[in-house]
Amino acid sequence: MLTIAVSKGRIYEDALPLLEEAGIVPIDDPKKSRKLILQTSREDVRLVIIRATDVPTFVEYGAADMGIAGKDVLLEHGAENLYEPLDLGIAGCRLMTAAPVGAPPISGRIRVATKYVKTAQSYFADLGIQAEIIKLYGSMELAPLVSLADCIVDLVDTGNTLKANGLEARDLITHITSRLVVNKASMKMKHRDIQPLLDQFEVTLQQRNNS
Ligand code: ATP
Ligand code: PRP
């Protein structure tokens, strides 16, 4: 049995066509079902539905053989105990700093609100900026509006959330896409099952790139 960890929401939506191309069609729809383990059209493959930030943990400990996780989550979690064989190119966005429109450039001693604590710490340390990082779990855009922080580090896609809250994107930290991650022991022990899946994903991604 192969267990694949996926989060509900945008990653699931984007991953579904990729999984389907590999002949993996979930029997239940996670939007309608409360089940956390979804059987699929393939008897030897099941999906576990978890929070996006928990995917590396499940895969690292072997609770799932493979998973799909955003690069943002992998950077923050640390991916040294996982294989990251494929960039799936889905759920694309940018990890950026952002501040109120017209506020002075980000420098000196600053307070930064983010859920990406380690990534932000290392980013500002590399720039020699003294940043006090305030950990939040969501709605980061609110922090500068209520003087909790001078700026934020968060994901930006359309920029609509920033705009709606009077903020502007400042510096790009990195581009983000979702990656396939594989448990190291599973890669060895279940190689015969995992490798064909990786090959199929790769074919689909190449076809997408060519069309
Ligand atoms: P959790 O439930 O663990 O708090 P979350 O609410 O951030 O996670 P999603 O919003 O579904 O979960 O985001 C999952 C992943 O999708 C992120 O880790 C990131 O890689 C990507 N992502 C997040 N926001 C966007 C966006 N606006 N546009 C494109 N991709 C995004
Ligand atoms: C993400 C991110 C930003 C927003 C950016 O939030 O944290 O708030 O998307 O997208 P945009 O540039 O297209 O507006 P999400 O929608 O996942 O909400 P959440 O963080 O509250 O889960």
Side-chain angles (χ1 to χ4, degrees):
M1 174 63 81
L2 268 188
T3 303
I4 307 178
V6 193
S7 58
K8 257 190 201 177
R10 49 170 66 87
I11 288 191
Y12 184 84
E13 299 303 324
D14 286 3
L16 213 49
L18 271 176
L19 292 169
E20 276 175 12
E21 288 283 343
I24 301 167
V25 182
I27 306 285
D28 291 296
D29 177 354
K31 276 192 289 226
K32 295 185 190 138
S33 167
R34 298 287 297 165
K35 282 185 188 167
L36 300 175
I37 299 179
L38 302 186
Q39 306 303 327
T40 73
S41 51
R42 276 183 55 171
E43 265 183 13
D44 60 334
V45 180
R46 63 180 184 175
L47 305 186
V48 288
I49 305 297
I50 56 181
R51 293 287 295 265
T53 42
D54 290 334
V55 170
T57 309
F58 274 67
V59 176
E60 199 175 297
Y61 282 89
D65 300 296
M66 319 166 73
I68 300 177
K71 186 68 183 174
D72 50 323
V73 168
L74 295 172
L75 284 172
E76 189 63 19
H77 178 92
E80 53 284 343
N81 297 322
L82 300 164
Y83 287 125
E84 194 187 308
L86 276 181
D87 181 347
L88 300 175
I90 58 175
C93 52
R94 290 158 290 153
L95 185 66
M96 303 199 69
T97 61
V101 174
I106 296 167
S107 63
R109 285 175 69 97
I110 52 164
R111 281 215 310 243
V112 182
T114 187
K115 66 175 168 186
Y116 303 103
V117 172
K118 287 188 199 157
T119 310
Q121 242 151 12
S122 115
Y123 172 75
F124 287 110
D126 285 352
L127 291 177
I129 294 175
Q130 250 190 316
E132 180 188 346
I133 312 289
I134 300 175
K135 164 92 183 179
L136 294 180
Y137 292 85
S139 304
M140 269 73 78
E141 292 86 356
L142 179 62
L145 309 183
V146 293
S147 303
L148 178 60
D150 302 294
C151 64
I152 63 171
V153 166
D154 195 13
L155 300 173
V156 181
D157 180 21
T158 60
N160 287 342
T161 312
L162 291 182
K163 199 168 168 206
N165 292 292
L167 303 183
E168 59 189 9
R170 292 288 174 88
D171 297 311
L172 174 70
I173 300 178
T174 184
H175 286 279
I176 301 292
T177 46
S178 289
R179 312 301 167 100
L180 190 75
V181 287
V182 181
N183 172 269
K184 287 193 170 173
S186 300
M187 190 67 131
K188 288 200 192 88
M189 312 287 284
K190 299 189 181 179
H191 192 259
R192 275 207 321 205
D193 300 313
I194 290 177
Q195 194 56 50
L197 262 187
L198 296 185
D199 293 343
Q200 180 57 55
F201 288 145
E202 217 155 3
V203 167
T204 307
L205 294 174
Q206 244 155 29
Q207 282 167 349
R208 280 186 184 182
N209 282 342
N210 295 339
S211 65

